[in-house]
Amino acid sequence: MTYPVHLSLGPLVLPVHLLLEVLAYSGGYRLYQHLRRRTLDPISEENRLWIFVGCAAGALLGSRLLGLLEHPGLLANPPGGWLYYFTNKTIVGGLLGGLVGVELTKKRLGVTTSSGDLMVYPVILGMGIGRLGCHFSGLEDGTFGTATMLPWAINFGDGVPRHPTNLYEILWLLLLGALLWLRERRGPLPDGWRFRFFMVGYLLFRLLVEFLKPTPAPAGWGLTAIQWACVAGLGYYAWLFGREEVKYQSSVNTVNQ
């Protein structure tokens, strides 16, 4: 296979990445609609719409901001001109920014139940398809790994065998989705925990897999901007789980008194 991969339709040449990105959004949304029809959703249609708006706004801002912070040395002289500030993005920033947008919107609406559980499997599907598009883009996408001599290394067009980190991510997403599905077959998780487990699993993976990417860490930081964002996100969820444990122990002590 020659990278980047394009689809030729007569005189028209379409990048496979773009097609798979469209398929990721449409496929994820169709799965969401299917799951919502089969699920008793305590959130009204109107509130769901506003939550989607908050999620989209937060994800757009977060993905762009973290994408720019990933390469701080390019901010003063962006490659390709001013469009660089609007095209550079990252999934981690989108997830965390979307999380902030959703929580702020829910607080405004007075919604206390989880809105993320219903989105987990659609997000996994969309991210998996999208990462396949990243893989077919080769070096153009910037999600490739460092050089390696492992037998499954892939030459993305520059003659250097590299870690296919985008394929690693697809495999991890499939495993994470399967583990969540198997766990829920044993019994329902508490409200919001499916989304929490997904976020913890994905952020932990990204924290580790970034060590296999050629993105340099800013001097003195030790970690890249994406890794620091993952650390912050994992710290937030550690705090949430700790708070739940405190509440549980408090209720147990109250019952025993």
Side-chain angles (χ1 to χ4, degrees), residues 70-71 142 144 146 210-218 223-227:
E70 188 179 8
H71 302 282
F144 53 85
T146 54
E210 292 300 310
F211 287 113
L212 299 179
K213 294 184 180 181
T215 305
L223 301 176
T224 66
I226 288 179
Q227 288 176 308

Side-chain angles (χ1 to χ4, degrees), residues 39-215:
T39 305
L40 182 60
D41 189 358
I43 301 176
S44 68
E45 190 76 34
E46 181 181 359
N47 283 347
R48 273 283 177 190
L49 178 60
W50 282 112
I51 289 171
F52 270 124
V53 172
C55 178
L60 179 64
L61 181 60
S63 64
R64 295 296 190 268
L65 179 60
L66 188 57
L68 293 174
L69 292 176
E70 188 179 8
H71 302 282
L74 300 178
L75 293 177
N77 297 292
W82 61 271
L83 285 176
Y84 173 80
Y85 298 116
F86 299 95
T87 57
N88 203 21
K89 58 186 184 296
T90 173
I91 287 179
V92 171
L95 287 174
L96 294 177
L99 174 65
V100 173
V102 165
E103 292 304 319
L104 291 176
T105 304
K106 287 170 59 178
K107 185 175 182 179
R108 174 68 177 173
L109 297 173
V111 175
T112 57
T113 190
S114 170
S115 59
D117 284 348
L118 198 57
M119 297 298 301
V120 168
Y121 295 117
V123 167
I124 288 176
L125 175 63
M127 288 172 59
I129 296 174
R131 279 306 187 206
L132 187 60
C134 294
H135 175 75
F136 287 140
S137 293
L139 299 176
E140 291 181 356
D141 187 72
T143 59
F144 53 85
T146 54
T148 180
M149 296 307 295
L150 291 171
W152 55 81
I154 293 179
N155 172 14
F156 287 104
D158 62 348
V160 179
R162 299 176 181 275
H163 283 286
T165 48
N166 26 50
L167 295 185
Y168 295 168
E169 186 165 331
I170 293 173
L171 292 175
W172 177 252
L173 288 169
L174 291 173
L175 176 61
L176 187 56
L179 290 174
L180 285 171
W181 181 76
L182 289 172
R183 168 58 185 83
E184 291 189 282
R185 290 196 66 185
R186 296 166 50 192
L189 289 167
D191 183 47
W193 283 45
R194 181 196 297 170
F195 185 75
R196 290 186 192 181
F197 283 142
F198 161 71
M199 287 292 288
V200 168
Y202 183 73
L203 292 175
L204 183 60
F205 168 80
R206 285 300 300 269
L207 174 64
L208 298 177
V209 81
E210 292 300 310
F211 287 113
L212 299 179
K213 294 184 180 181
T215 305

